[in-house]
Amino acid sequence: MSFLSRIGCIETEEQERSRLAQAPEGSLNHYLSTLPVTIDEWPKDLLVELPWQQPRTHQAYRVVVVPIEFQEEALPEGVEEEPLPRKRHSGAWMCAVVFSDHPDYPVSGFRIDVPAAEIVRGRKVDLATVLAPLSYVSGETLHTPEPPCGSCEDRGLFRPPF
């Protein structure tokens, strides 16, 4: 538990889970109340796979986004400061969709607003791990530990014939 949670400035994980669970059953917030927080860092520019498993939808989807810009949650009219304890993971992120098999969320720069509570319950995607099985990048591969082939001018790279 963080210091700010202990002194009552920010709601605890349990308080956040309880607040989200008060939403109607079947809603996104109610679904999020059943999931643990998996991303503790500021998510800007991370690759995040959103939690799209059942029972959220009738079938599981994979939607990966990059959070770009944070948008604070608007306070009700006439309220100048959020009451204590402040909400954990409030607000939303404007995100670019970088991978999706969901028909409503195309890739290629499509932007969506994603609640911060959903982002932090997603799965951080490590691009290095995802790309590691590939034997080449941009048409170039590394030599095996054998002597250089001569076609690459001893820089350790060669271009495949395809």
Side-chain angles (χ1 to χ4, degrees):
M1 177 184 296
S2 74
F3 171 75
L4 294 175
S5 294
R6 280 196 309 267
I7 64 171
C9 286
I10 298 175
E11 67 186 0
T12 64
E13 290 180 40
E14 295 79 24
Q15 289 170 323
E16 178 188 37
R17 188 178 310 275
S18 175
R19 174 177 51 83
L20 293 171
Q22 290 175 13
E25 211 167 309
S27 69
L28 176 60
N29 279 343
H30 190 82
Y31 169 69
L32 293 175
S33 75
T34 66
L35 302 175
V37 171
T38 57
I39 300 175
D40 291 326
E41 61 195 291
W42 187 246
K44 183 176 181 175
D45 298 330
L46 295 179
L47 286 171
V48 178
E49 182 175 352
L50 300 177
W52 276 82
Q53 295 81 22
Q54 295 172 335
R56 178 179 180 175
T57 58
H58 65 284
Q59 84 179 64
Y61 290 104
R62 291 194 68 200
V63 178
V64 179
V65 300
V66 174
I68 298 170
E69 183 180 335
F70 182 71
Q71 303 152 2
E72 289 186 32
E73 189 174 277
L75 295 173
E77 194 171 316
V79 176
E80 294 183 25
E81 191 173 313
E82 185 178 354
L84 295 180
R86 293 204 166 119
K87 295 178 185 173
R88 292 169 47 95
H89 311 120
S90 64
W93 284 91
M94 191 241 325
C95 299
V97 178
V98 295
F99 176 85
S100 173
D101 62 1
H102 192 292
D104 294 337
Y105 300 101
V107 295
S108 304
F110 188 74
R111 302 282 198 258
I112 59 174
D113 288 328
V114 180
E118 182 175 4
I119 293 284
V120 300
R121 286 167 173 82
R123 182 180 67 86
K124 182 178 171 183
V125 177
D126 179 11
L127 199 54
T129 302
V130 172
L131 294 177
L134 296 178
S135 62
Y136 63 91
V137 177
S138 302
E140 298 180 342
T141 58
L142 295 175
H143 279 297
T144 60
E146 311 299 313
C149 65
S151 67
C152 62
E153 301 173 17
D154 293 328
R155 288 190 299 237
L157 298 173
F158 73 95
R159 294 196 185 279
F162 48 88

